[in-house]
């Protein structure tokens, strides 16, 4: 199934060039010329990758990046004419996976998109740090630590990996079997219900009220989903 790439830029020519090159390589593209339009596409469509210009007419690319990161863990490549090192570092710290300066080579852009998509997997969080509920829950990918109200929480490897799977796929419902496969591996031969205990333990560590969880919610008859 073709990956869908959202291209966000207010220059029609750039949208056309990027879309043409990506389409030739088999990708499906969706175009947006404003930040608000882009966020609507993120909400209403399944997006696998985002190419984001930082200079938009209605809001900054940094604001768009932050909004996307609060809802989804898709890879983000930033495009910009900004050349200052601290501006590039700021973009990457917000959760961008790559950065290309304008003018750029469309062929190189496609190669970078391919490289990023190849390395994407459920063990990676596509941002240096993601916070929820105004910092109530924070996942730091660099240190592989989790914080609740800025205090570190001691998670097991399985609990941390479970949380990453959920954080990479917010609002997606997982069956127990899917979680076992992603967290415990294809070769796990135990009962799928084992994952229930890991989730119970995780809830006790990250939820304010584990009996009424805000983040890891039960979908009765199916499994679990993460509400960021």
């Amino acid at each position: 199934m073709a990956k869908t790439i959202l291209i966000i830029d207010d220059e029609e020519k750039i949208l056309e060039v990027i879309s043409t090159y990506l389409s030739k390589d088999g990708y499906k593209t969706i175009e947006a010329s404003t930040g608000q339009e882009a966020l609507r596409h993120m909400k209403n469509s399944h997006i696998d990758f985002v190419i984001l210009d930082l200079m938009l007419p209605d809001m900054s690319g940094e604001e768009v990046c932050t909004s996307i990161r609060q809802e989804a863990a898709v890879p983000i490549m930033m495009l910009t004419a900004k050349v200052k090192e601290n501006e590039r570092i700021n973009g990457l710290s917000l959760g961008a996976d790559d950065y290309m300066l304008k003018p750029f080579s469309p062929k190189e852009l496609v190669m970078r998109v391919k490289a990023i998509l190849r390395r994407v997997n459920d063990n990676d969080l596509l941002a240096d740090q993601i916070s929820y509920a105004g910092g109530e829950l924070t996942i730091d990918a660099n240190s592989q630590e989790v914080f609740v109200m800025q205090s570190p929480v001691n998670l097991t490897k399985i609990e941390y990996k479970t949380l990453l799977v959920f954080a990479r796929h917010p609002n997606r419902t997982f069956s127990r079997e899917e979680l076992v496969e992603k967290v415990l591996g294809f070769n796990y031969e135990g009962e799928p219900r084992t994952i229930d205990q890991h989730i119970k333990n995780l809830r006790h560590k990250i939820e304010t009220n584990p009996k009424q969880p805000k983040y890891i919610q039960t979908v009765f008859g199916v499994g679990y989903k993460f509400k960021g």
Side-chain angles (χ1 to χ4, degrees), residues 28-56:
K28 178 184 175 183
T29 62
I30 296 176
E31 300 171 11
S33 56
T34 67
Q36 291 298 332
E37 183 184 2
L39 295 177
R40 285 196 296 272
H41 284 306
M42 288 299 304
K43 184 176 181 180
N44 299 323
S45 305
H46 176 79
I47 304 297
D48 298 294
F49 196 102
V50 175
I51 296 173
L52 171 63
D53 180 39
L54 293 188
M55 302 293 288
L56 297 171

Side-chain angles (χ1 to χ4, degrees), residues 109-155:
L109 182 145
V110 173
M111 293 303 295
R112 289 199 192 185
V113 169
K114 287 182 178 179
I116 292 170
L117 284 172
R118 276 199 302 268
R119 73 171 187 252
V120 171
N121 62 71
D122 288 313
N123 293 321
D124 295 327
L125 192 66
L126 297 179
D128 291 340
Q129 191 178 88
I130 294 182
S131 294
Y132 303 93
E136 180 182 281
L137 172 65
T138 301
I139 306 172
D140 190 312
N142 288 330
S143 63
Q144 296 192 350
E145 289 181 295
V146 174
F147 299 85
V148 173
M149 301 302 291
Q150 284 144 17
S151 295
V153 182
N154 185 23
L155 300 186

Side-chain angles (χ1 to χ4, degrees), residues 4-29:
T4 300
I5 299 178
L6 175 60
I7 310 165
I8 311 163
D9 201 299
D10 63 339
E11 295 184 50
E12 186 175 341
K13 184 63 177 177
I14 289 180
L15 287 174
E16 181 183 338
V17 169
I18 296 175
S19 179
T20 298
Y21 272 81
L22 288 170
S23 297
K24 285 180 181 178
D25 250 86
Y27 296 104
K28 178 184 175 183
T29 62

Side-chain angles (χ1 to χ4, degrees), residues 74-96:
V74 295
I76 297 173
M77 176 188 288
M78 288 183 169
L79 299 178
T80 185
K82 296 179 179 181
V83 295
K84 291 182 180 178
E85 182 182 16
N86 65 324
E87 291 172 329
R88 296 198 299 271
I89 291 173
N90 180 52
L92 293 170
S93 69
L94 290 173

